[in-house]
Amino acid sequence: LASVPVVIPSPKDAEIKKDFPLDHYSSSSMIKFATNPFMFKVNYINRDWIDSATGAKAILGKAFHYAMEVYYGGIDDYAITSEAEAIEFGLKGGMEFIENYNDGFVNYSDKIPNKQKLYDLFSFLFTEYVKYKPYQKDTVVATEKTIKKIISVEWKGENLTFPVPIKGVIDKIIRRKDGKISIVDYKSCEKFSDLEKIDAKKIIQAVNYFFLVYAEYGEAPYSLVFEEVKFTKNRDAEEKQIKEYELVYADNPLFFDFYFRFYGDITGALNGKMVYVPNFDAFYDNELALISYIHRLDISEEQAKLFKKHNVDNITDLLKKEIQVAGNMRQLLKNIENSLVEAKNIDYTKMKNEEKIQTKMMEHGMLIKFDSKIEGASVDLYRYTPSIGLKMSRLKSYADDIQQVLGVGDVRVIAPIPNTSYVGFEVPKEKRKFPDLPKNKGFDIAIGQDIMGNTRFFDVRHAPHIVVAGSTGSGKSHWLNNTLKQLFTIKNSSFYLLDPKKVELSQFEGMKNVTYRDEPVEIENSLCDLVSIMDQRYTKMKEMKVKNISETDLAYIFVVIDEFGDINSKEIQELIRKLAQKGRACGIHLILATQRASTKIINGDIKVNFPVRVVFRMAKRIDSQVMLDEDGAEKLLGKGDMLFLADNGIERLQGFN
Ligand SMILES: Nc1ncnc2c1ncn2[C@@H]1O[C@H](COP(=O)(O)OP(=O)(O)OP(=O)(O)O)[C@@H](O)[C@H]1O
Ligand SMILES: [Mg+2]
């Protein structure tokens, strides 16, 4: 005996019964018959559809189906050429599907209160799906396939010819490696199906699809695979969001038995017979119900026949016999649940860095498209275009995951790259290059080299003052030396080099135009002197009726303090504040360096008066926040790697050797 029915498409003796009240049979109409007979009559017999709002969950499901259609089938005339494109198009397709849905026709709920939530859930569903499922486009026979056929079926010696066609839209039909056909049905859901429960709706759907695919392709499909994707996020991140289970037709003859009985009841009812059908929503969690229904134990003549056949006199004994025959009912839904996470860890080893980053972000439900890689001296910058709806703050929170997948530390996520629509990932190079110090162009001094290899010049006259920060060994003194070397070339200039640490600046002691001090008292005196000089200059400029130093022949004075945190007395703070507020206009510029990014050192006065900042590697994220109002300096590499804050915003530069 065949374990599955034989389906004969367009049988010779079949003709569509014109007087039959239904236009066709479909899973949805058959299920409606059992769940809501009144609406069954309105929809399928009267053929009236009441335009009502669609539940947000249903729209989510539709968007997902549409995305899948695009993912495997392309759009319009455009054939998708790669998986990346399929993902991109699928995601965008689903987003647009939601976007185009008139808000007035959406029934929002507590869980999905607005469109943004729909976007979030959809992209989550979609990315979870594409993340876990291999693309395997080559196995796809058809997607979103509508089949409508008049058929006849042979099963257990019975022959059934449908009076009207049966119809269905099948999500996906695939050709398995062994050559057999499988049907795939996607379901977006709030929670996975309970496989212990018998789901009559799934049985009806499975059998209808079996008939349709068989009729269309001339061969019996092997199985129906349900792919459930859950849009509620697992609390446990290790748990899967997608579950797959397969119903192998040949293992489940009861499906067909059930279908035949149910079909018979509907058709009987349409022919005016009184029938009793189970309530699909409430009844089918128990196997006895299925057996009883299949064996027509609700019909007394059938019951009597079976009693006689099995030589029993009550239903319980009869069921025992039948269940023995049917085998373990739990087998009905044969679960071949894939252990996806365990079995399908994404293999990053063969990927290039750009792919690793992209794939990793996708794992977290974020789609970014690789644009370009720019190789800098100390870091490489990977630039990407983010997908619609991607939150920058969310992207930034995944720096650690990128580090993990790249196997490096200190990846800085730039979201967005200032003045562009890109997002960027700065990845430390294995071998850094330390560029040589170029010549300054007068007041335009070389600060560092940017990612493109260009020297970033900066006119020191434009900065009222500069603050330099970084943890020990990060490159402050080195940078001060480089800067001084350049400033020394400016003719009309003089210098106050104040070095409470007594190490770095002493090398310049004794030079012409250089005042070097390293004792705290002397330093304070120098600052007092500078305040007097400043006042004298203001008086002189007033007499000359000029507003700016450039209109005079006065020398520029550069005041450099290496580690001003060491001399942070009230008095000194006050002197620095005075100089900072008024120094610039009369040609006095301060450059202060410190290891300490505490708000005591970098106080409000400093923040206001030192808008230009050279920030080397800082110990903590919070230090970066103090210096730049942004994270990032904690990701720098040391040895001259800096974030330079000036009029262009924050730029990453490598200091010169
Ligand atoms: N631009 C650079 N190119 C190459 N090496 C550098 C650069 N900047 C710093 N270094 C290396 O890092 C070391 C420490 O730098 P530097 O003395 O400037 O640190 P610092 O920030 O002043 O530290 P501290 O706060 O302890 O004084 C230098 O001796 C040098 O070897
Ligand atoms: Mg130093």
Side-chain angles (χ1 to χ4, degrees), residues 290-334:
L290 187 75
I291 292 277
S292 310
Y293 182 63
I294 290 171
H295 291 283
R296 309 172 79 85
L297 300 182
D298 53 333
I299 298 171
S300 41
E301 310 91 81
E302 299 289 332
Q303 202 187 63
K305 255 196 256 171
L306 281 166
F307 281 3
K308 212 172 150 198
K309 182 181 156 201
H310 288 291
N311 198 18
V312 293
D313 57 9
N314 62 68
I315 287 192
T316 311
D317 289 347
L318 179 63
L319 280 169
K320 276 185 195 154
K321 298 252 169 184
E322 281 300 329
I323 286 174
Q324 275 169 14
V325 175
N328 182 359
M329 288 297 294
R330 301 257 181 256
Q331 289 281 310
L332 247 176
L333 297 173
K334 193 183 165 209

CSV table of all heavy atoms in Angstrom, one decimal, residues 290-334:
chain,number,residue,atom,x,y,z
A,290,LEU,N,-8.2,13.3,17.6
A,290,LEU,CA,-7.9,13.1,16.1
A,290,LEU,C,-8.3,11.7,15.7
A,290,LEU,O,-9.0,11.5,14.7
A,290,LEU,CB,-6.4,13.3,15.9
A,290,LEU,CG,-5.9,13.3,14.5
A,290,LEU,CD1,-6.3,14.6,13.8
A,290,LEU,CD2,-4.4,13.1,14.4
A,291,ILE,N,-7.9,10.7,16.5
A,291,ILE,CA,-8.2,9.4,16.1
A,291,ILE,C,-9.7,9.2,16.1
A,291,ILE,O,-10.3,8.6,15.1
A,291,ILE,CB,-7.6,8.4,17.2
A,291,ILE,CG1,-6.1,8.4,17.1
A,291,ILE,CG2,-8.2,7.0,17.0
A,291,ILE,CD1,-5.6,7.5,16.1
A,292,SER,N,-10.4,9.7,17.1
A,292,SER,CA,-11.9,9.6,17.1
A,292,SER,C,-12.5,10.2,15.9
A,292,SER,O,-13.4,9.7,15.3
A,292,SER,CB,-12.5,10.3,18.3
A,292,SER,OG,-11.8,9.8,19.5
A,293,TYR,N,-12.0,11.4,15.5
A,293,TYR,CA,-12.5,12.0,14.4
A,293,TYR,C,-12.3,11.3,13.1
A,293,TYR,O,-13.2,11.0,12.3
A,293,TYR,CB,-12.0,13.5,14.3
A,293,TYR,CG,-12.5,14.3,13.1
A,293,TYR,CD1,-13.9,14.6,13.1
A,293,TYR,CD2,-11.7,14.7,12.1
A,293,TYR,CE1,-14.4,15.4,12.0
A,293,TYR,CE2,-12.2,15.5,11.1
A,293,TYR,CZ,-13.5,15.8,11.0
A,293,TYR,OH,-14.0,16.5,10.0
A,294,ILE,N,-11.0,10.9,12.9
A,294,ILE,CA,-10.7,10.1,11.7
A,294,ILE,C,-11.5,8.9,11.6
A,294,ILE,O,-12.0,8.5,10.5
A,294,ILE,CB,-9.2,9.7,11.7
A,294,ILE,CG1,-8.3,11.0,11.5
A,294,ILE,CG2,-8.9,8.7,10.6
A,294,ILE,CD1,-6.8,10.8,11.7
A,295,HIS,N,-11.7,8.2,12.7
A,295,HIS,CA,-12.4,6.9,12.6
A,295,HIS,C,-13.9,7.1,12.8
A,295,HIS,O,-14.6,6.1,13.0
A,295,HIS,CB,-11.8,5.9,13.6
A,295,HIS,CG,-10.5,5.5,13.2
A,295,HIS,ND1,-10.3,4.6,12.2
A,295,HIS,CD2,-9.2,5.9,13.6
A,295,HIS,CE1,-9.0,4.4,12.0
A,295,HIS,NE2,-8.3,5.2,12.8
A,296,ARG,N,-14.4,8.3,12.7
A,296,ARG,CA,-15.8,8.6,12.7
A,296,ARG,C,-16.5,8.0,13.9
A,296,ARG,O,-17.6,7.5,13.8
A,296,ARG,CB,-16.4,8.0,11.4
A,296,ARG,CG,-15.6,8.5,10.1
A,296,ARG,CD,-16.1,7.8,8.9
A,296,ARG,NE,-17.3,8.4,8.4
A,296,ARG,CZ,-17.4,9.5,7.6
A,296,ARG,NH1,-16.3,10.1,7.2
A,296,ARG,NH2,-18.5,10.0,7.2
A,297,LEU,N,-15.9,8.1,15.0
A,297,LEU,CA,-16.5,7.5,16.2
A,297,LEU,C,-17.7,8.4,16.7
A,297,LEU,O,-18.4,8.0,17.6
A,297,LEU,CB,-15.5,7.4,17.3
A,297,LEU,CG,-14.3,6.4,17.0
A,297,LEU,CD1,-13.4,6.3,18.2
A,297,LEU,CD2,-14.8,5.1,16.6
A,298,ASP,N,-17.8,9.5,16.1
A,298,ASP,CA,-19.0,10.4,16.4
A,298,ASP,C,-20.2,10.0,15.6
A,298,ASP,O,-21.3,10.5,15.7
A,298,ASP,CB,-18.6,11.8,16.1
A,298,ASP,CG,-18.1,12.1,14.7
A,298,ASP,OD1,-17.5,11.1,14.1
A,298,ASP,OD2,-18.3,13.2,14.2
A,299,ILE,N,-20.0,9.0,14.7
A,299,ILE,CA,-21.1,8.5,13.9
A,299,ILE,C,-21.4,7.1,14.3
A,299,ILE,O,-20.6,6.2,14.3
A,299,ILE,CB,-20.7,8.5,12.4
A,299,ILE,CG1,-20.4,10.0,12.0
A,299,ILE,CG2,-21.9,7.9,11.5
A,299,ILE,CD1,-19.9,10.1,10.6
A,300,SER,N,-22.6,6.9,14.8
A,300,SER,CA,-22.9,5.6,15.5
A,300,SER,C,-22.8,4.4,14.6
A,300,SER,O,-22.3,3.4,15.1
A,300,SER,CB,-24.3,5.7,16.2
A,300,SER,OG,-25.2,6.3,15.3
A,301,GLU,N,-23.2,4.5,13.4
A,301,GLU,CA,-23.0,3.3,12.5
A,301,GLU,C,-21.6,3.0,12.3
A,301,GLU,O,-21.2,1.8,12.3
A,301,GLU,CB,-23.6,3.5,11.1
A,301,GLU,CG,-25.0,4.1,11.1
A,301,GLU,CD,-25.1,5.6,11.0
A,301,GLU,OE1,-24.9,6.1,9.9
A,301,GLU,OE2,-25.2,6.2,12.0
A,302,GLU,N,-20.7,4.0,12.1
A,302,GLU,CA,-19.3,3.8,11.9
A,302,GLU,C,-18.7,3.1,13.2
A,302,GLU,O,-17.9,2.2,13.1
A,302,GLU,CB,-18.6,5.1,11.6
A,302,GLU,CG,-19.0,5.8,10.4
A,302,GLU,CD,-18.6,5.1,9.1
A,302,GLU,OE1,-17.6,4.4,9.1
A,302,GLU,OE2,-19.3,5.2,8.1
A,303,GLN,N,-19.2,3.7,14.3
A,303,GLN,CA,-18.7,3.2,15.6
A,303,GLN,C,-19.0,1.7,15.8
A,303,GLN,O,-18.1,0.9,16.1
A,303,GLN,CB,-19.3,4.0,16.7
A,303,GLN,CG,-18.6,4.0,18.0
A,303,GLN,CD,-19.5,4.7,19.1
A,303,GLN,OE1,-20.5,4.2,19.4
A,303,GLN,NE2,-19.0,5.8,19.6
A,304,ALA,N,-20.2,1.4,15.4
A,304,ALA,CA,-20.7,0.0,15.5
A,304,ALA,C,-19.8,-0.9,14.6
A,304,ALA,O,-19.4,-2.0,15.0
A,304,ALA,CB,-22.1,-0.1,15.2
A,305,LYS,N,-19.6,-0.4,13.4
A,305,LYS,CA,-18.8,-1.2,12.5
A,305,LYS,C,-17.4,-1.5,13.1
A,305,LYS,O,-16.9,-2.7,13.0
A,305,LYS,CB,-18.6,-0.4,11.2
A,305,LYS,CG,-19.5,-0.9,10.0
A,305,LYS,CD,-18.9,-0.4,8.7
A,305,LYS,CE,-19.8,0.8,8.2
A,305,LYS,NZ,-19.3,1.5,7.1
A,306,LEU,N,-16.8,-0.5,13.7
A,306,LEU,CA,-15.4,-0.7,14.2
A,306,LEU,C,-15.4,-1.6,15.4
A,306,LEU,O,-14.5,-2.3,15.6
A,306,LEU,CB,-14.8,0.7,14.5
A,306,LEU,CG,-14.3,1.5,13.3
A,306,LEU,CD1,-14.0,2.9,13.6
A,306,LEU,CD2,-13.0,0.8,12.8
A,307,PHE,N,-16.4,-1.4,16.3
A,307,PHE,CA,-16.6,-2.3,17.4
A,307,PHE,C,-16.5,-3.8,17.0
A,307,PHE,O,-15.8,-4.6,17.5
A,307,PHE,CB,-17.9,-2.1,18.2
A,307,PHE,CG,-17.9,-0.9,19.1
A,307,PHE,CD1,-16.8,0.0,19.2
A,307,PHE,CD2,-19.0,-0.6,19.9
A,307,PHE,CE1,-16.8,1.1,20.0
A,307,PHE,CE2,-19.1,0.5,20.7
A,307,PHE,CZ,-18.0,1.3,20.8
A,308,LYS,N,-17.3,-4.0,15.9
A,308,LYS,CA,-17.4,-5.3,15.4
A,308,LYS,C,-16.0,-5.8,14.8
A,308,LYS,O,-15.6,-6.9,15.1
A,308,LYS,CB,-18.5,-5.4,14.3
A,308,LYS,CG,-19.2,-6.7,14.2
A,308,LYS,CD,-20.4,-6.6,13.3
A,308,LYS,CE,-20.6,-7.9,12.6
A,308,LYS,NZ,-21.4,-7.8,11.4
A,309,LYS,N,-15.4,-4.9,14.1
A,309,LYS,CA,-14.2,-5.3,13.4
A,309,LYS,C,-13.1,-5.6,14.4
A,309,LYS,O,-12.3,-6.6,14.3
A,309,LYS,CB,-13.7,-4.1,12.6
A,309,LYS,CG,-12.4,-4.3,11.8
A,309,LYS,CD,-12.0,-3.1,11.0
A,309,LYS,CE,-10.5,-3.1,10.7
A,309,LYS,NZ,-10.0,-1.7,10.4
A,310,HIS,N,-13.0,-4.9,15.5
A,310,HIS,CA,-12.0,-5.1,16.5
A,310,HIS,C,-12.4,-6.0,17.6
A,310,HIS,O,-11.7,-6.2,18.6
A,310,HIS,CB,-11.5,-3.8,17.1
A,310,HIS,CG,-10.7,-3.0,16.1
A,310,HIS,ND1,-9.4,-3.4,15.6
A,310,HIS,CD2,-10.9,-1.9,15.4
A,310,HIS,CE1,-8.9,-2.5,14.8
A,310,HIS,NE2,-9.9,-1.6,14.6
A,311,ASN,N,-13.6,-6.4,17.5
A,311,ASN,CA,-14.2,-7.3,18.6
A,311,ASN,C,-14.1,-6.7,20.0
A,311,ASN,O,-13.6,-7.2,20.9
A,311,ASN,CB,-13.5,-8.6,18.5
A,311,ASN,CG,-14.3,-9.7,19.3
A,311,ASN,OD1,-15.5,-9.5,19.5
A,311,ASN,ND2,-13.6,-10.8,19.6
A,312,VAL,N,-14.5,-5.4,20.1
A,312,VAL,CA,-14.6,-4.7,21.4
A,312,VAL,C,-16.0,-4.2,21.5
A,312,VAL,O,-16.8,-4.2,20.6
A,312,VAL,CB,-13.6,-3.6,21.5
A,312,VAL,CG1,-12.2,-4.1,21.4
A,312,VAL,CG2,-13.8,-2.6,20.3
A,313,ASP,N,-16.3,-3.7,22.8
A,313,ASP,CA,-17.6,-3.2,23.0
A,313,ASP,C,-17.7,-1.8,23.6
A,313,ASP,O,-18.7,-1.3,24.0
A,313,ASP,CB,-18.5,-4.1,23.8
A,313,ASP,CG,-17.9,-4.4,25.1
A,313,ASP,OD1,-16.9,-3.8,25.5
A,313,ASP,OD2,-18.4,-5.3,25.8
A,314,ASN,N,-16.5,-1.1,23.6
A,314,ASN,CA,-16.5,0.3,24.1
A,314,ASN,C,-15.4,1.1,23.4
A,314,ASN,O,-14.5,0.6,22.8
A,314,ASN,CB,-16.4,0.4,25.6
A,314,ASN,CG,-15.0,-0.2,26.0
A,314,ASN,OD1,-14.0,0.3,25.7
A,314,ASN,ND2,-15.1,-1.4,26.7
A,315,ILE,N,-15.6,2.4,23.4
A,315,ILE,CA,-14.8,3.3,22.7
A,315,ILE,C,-13.3,3.2,23.2
A,315,ILE,O,-12.4,3.3,22.4
A,315,ILE,CB,-15.3,4.8,22.8
A,315,ILE,CG1,-16.5,4.9,21.9
A,315,ILE,CG2,-14.2,5.8,22.3
A,315,ILE,CD1,-16.9,6.3,21.6
A,316,THR,N,-13.2,3.1,24.5
A,316,THR,CA,-11.8,3.1,25.1
A,316,THR,C,-11.0,2.0,24.5
A,316,THR,O,-9.9,2.2,24.1
A,316,THR,CB,-11.9,3.0,26.6
A,316,THR,OG1,-12.8,4.0,27.1
A,316,THR,CG2,-10.5,3.2,27.2
A,317,ASP,N,-11.6,0.8,24.5
A,317,ASP,CA,-10.8,-0.4,24.0
A,317,ASP,C,-10.6,-0.2,22.5
A,317,ASP,O,-9.5,-0.6,22.0
A,317,ASP,CB,-11.6,-1.7,24.2
A,317,ASP,CG,-11.6,-2.0,25.7
A,317,ASP,OD1,-10.8,-1.4,26.4
A,317,ASP,OD2,-12.4,-2.9,26.1
A,318,LEU,N,-11.6,0.4,21.8
A,318,LEU,CA,-11.4,0.6,20.4
A,318,LEU,C,-10.2,1.5,20.1
A,318,LEU,O,-9.4,1.3,19.3
A,318,LEU,CB,-12.7,1.2,19.8
A,318,LEU,CG,-12.7,1.5,18.3
A,318,LEU,CD1,-12.5,0.2,17.5
A,318,LEU,CD2,-14.0,2.2,17.9
A,319,LEU,N,-10.2,2.6,20.9
A,319,LEU,CA,-9.1,3.6,20.7
A,319,LEU,C,-7.7,2.9,21.0
A,319,LEU,O,-6.8,3.2,20.3
A,319,LEU,CB,-9.3,4.8,21.7
A,319,LEU,CG,-10.3,5.8,21.1
A,319,LEU,CD1,-10.7,6.8,22.2
A,319,LEU,CD2,-9.8,6.5,19.9
A,320,LYS,N,-7.7,2.1,22.0
A,320,LYS,CA,-6.4,1.4,22.3
A,320,LYS,C,-5.9,0.7,21.1
A,320,LYS,O,-4.8,0.7,20.7
A,320,LYS,CB,-6.6,0.5,23.5
A,320,LYS,CG,-6.5,1.1,24.9
A,320,LYS,CD,-6.5,0.1,25.9
A,320,LYS,CE,-6.8,0.7,27.3
A,320,LYS,NZ,-7.5,-0.2,28.2
A,321,LYS,N,-6.8,-0.1,20.5
A,321,LYS,CA,-6.5,-0.8,19.3
A,321,LYS,C,-6.0,0.1,18.2
A,321,LYS,O,-5.0,-0.1,17.5
A,321,LYS,CB,-7.7,-1.6,18.8
A,321,LYS,CG,-8.2,-2.6,19.7
A,321,LYS,CD,-7.8,-4.1,19.3
A,321,LYS,CE,-8.1,-5.0,20.5
A,321,LYS,NZ,-7.7,-6.4,20.2
A,322,GLU,N,-6.8,1.2,18.0
A,322,GLU,CA,-6.5,2.1,16.9
A,322,GLU,C,-5.1,2.8,17.1
A,322,GLU,O,-4.4,3.0,16.2
A,322,GLU,CB,-7.6,3.1,16.7
A,322,GLU,CG,-8.8,2.6,16.0
A,322,GLU,CD,-8.4,2.1,14.5
A,322,GLU,OE1,-7.5,2.7,13.9
A,322,GLU,OE2,-9.1,1.2,14.1
A,323,ILE,N,-4.9,3.1,18.4
A,323,ILE,CA,-3.7,3.8,18.6
A,323,ILE,C,-2.5,2.9,18.4
A,323,ILE,O,-1.4,3.3,17.9
A,323,ILE,CB,-3.7,4.5,20.1
A,323,ILE,CG1,-4.6,5.7,20.0
A,323,ILE,CG2,-2.3,4.9,20.5
A,323,ILE,CD1,-4.8,6.3,21.4
A,324,GLN,N,-2.7,1.7,18.7
A,324,GLN,CA,-1.6,0.7,18.4
A,324,GLN,C,-1.3,0.7,16.9
A,324,GLN,O,-0.2,0.7,16.5
A,324,GLN,CB,-2.0,-0.7,18.9
A,324,GLN,CG,-1.7,-1.0,20.3
A,324,GLN,CD,-2.4,-2.3,20.8
A,324,GLN,OE1,-2.8,-3.1,20.0
A,324,GLN,NE2,-2.4,-2.5,22.1
A,325,VAL,N,-2.4,0.7,16.2
A,325,VAL,CA,-2.2,0.7,14.7
A,325,VAL,C,-1.5,2.0,14.3
A,325,VAL,O,-0.6,2.0,13.4
A,325,VAL,CB,-3.6,0.6,14.0
A,325,VAL,CG1,-3.4,0.7,12.5
A,325,VAL,CG2,-4.2,-0.8,14.4
A,326,ALA,N,-2.0,3.1,14.8
A,326,ALA,CA,-1.4,4.4,14.4
A,326,ALA,C,0.0,4.6,14.8
A,326,ALA,O,0.7,5.4,14.3
A,326,ALA,CB,-2.3,5.5,14.9
A,327,GLY,N,0.5,3.8,15.8
A,327,GLY,CA,1.8,4.0,16.3
A,327,GLY,C,1.8,5.2,17.3
A,327,GLY,O,0.7,5.7,17.6
A,328,ASN,N,2.9,5.6,17.7
A,328,ASN,CA,3.0,6.7,18.7
A,328,ASN,C,2.5,8.0,18.0
A,328,ASN,O,3.1,8.4,17.1
A,328,ASN,CB,4.4,6.8,19.2
A,328,ASN,CG,4.5,7.9,20.3
A,328,ASN,OD1,3.5,8.5,20.6
A,328,ASN,ND2,5.7,8.0,20.8
A,329,MET,N,1.5,8.6,18.6
A,329,MET,CA,0.9,9.8,18.0
A,329,MET,C,1.9,10.9,18.1
A,329,MET,O,1.9,11.9,17.3
A,329,MET,CB,-0.4,10.2,18.7
A,329,MET,CG,-1.5,9.2,18.3
A,329,MET,SD,-1.9,9.3,16.6
A,329,MET,CE,-2.5,11.0,16.4
A,330,ARG,N,2.8,10.9,19.0
A,330,ARG,CA,3.8,12.0,19.1
A,330,ARG,C,4.7,12.0,17.8
A,330,ARG,O,5.3,13.0,17.5
A,330,ARG,CB,4.7,11.8,20.3
A,330,ARG,CG,3.9,11.7,21.6
A,330,ARG,CD,4.0,13.0,22.4
A,330,ARG,NE,3.3,12.9,23.6
A,330,ARG,CZ,2.1,13.5,23.8
A,330,ARG,NH1,1.5,14.2,22.8
A,330,ARG,NH2,1.5,13.4,24.9
A,331,GLN,N,4.7,10.9,17.2
A,331,GLN,CA,5.5,10.8,15.9
A,331,GLN,C,4.9,11.6,14.8
A,331,GLN,O,5.5,11.9,13.8
A,331,GLN,CB,5.6,9.4,15.4
A,331,GLN,CG,6.5,8.5,16.3
A,331,GLN,CD,8.0,8.7,16.0
A,331,GLN,OE1,8.3,8.7,14.9
A,331,GLN,NE2,8.7,9.0,17.0
A,332,LEU,N,3.6,12.0,15.0
A,332,LEU,CA,2.9,12.7,14.0
A,332,LEU,C,3.7,13.9,13.5
A,332,LEU,O,3.8,14.1,12.3
A,332,LEU,CB,1.6,13.2,14.6
A,332,LEU,CG,0.3,12.6,14.1
A,332,LEU,CD1,-0.9,13.1,14.8
A,332,LEU,CD2,0.2,12.8,12.6
A,333,LEU,N,4.1,14.7,14.4
A,333,LEU,CA,4.9,15.9,14.0
A,333,LEU,C,6.3,15.5,14.3
A,333,LEU,O,6.9,15.7,15.4
A,333,LEU,CB,4.5,17.1,14.8
A,333,LEU,CG,3.1,17.5,14.6
A,333,LEU,CD1,2.7,18.7,15.6
A,333,LEU,CD2,2.8,18.0,13.2
A,334,LYS,N,6.9,14.9,13.3
A,334,LYS,CA,8.3,14.5,13.5
A,334,LYS,C,9.2,15.7,13.5
A,334,LYS,O,9.4,16.4,12.5
A,334,LYS,CB,8.7,13.5,12.4
A,334,LYS,CG,9.9,12.7,12.7
A,334,LYS,CD,10.3,11.8,11.6
A,334,LYS,CE,11.7,11.3,11.7
A,334,LYS,NZ,12.3,11.1,10.4
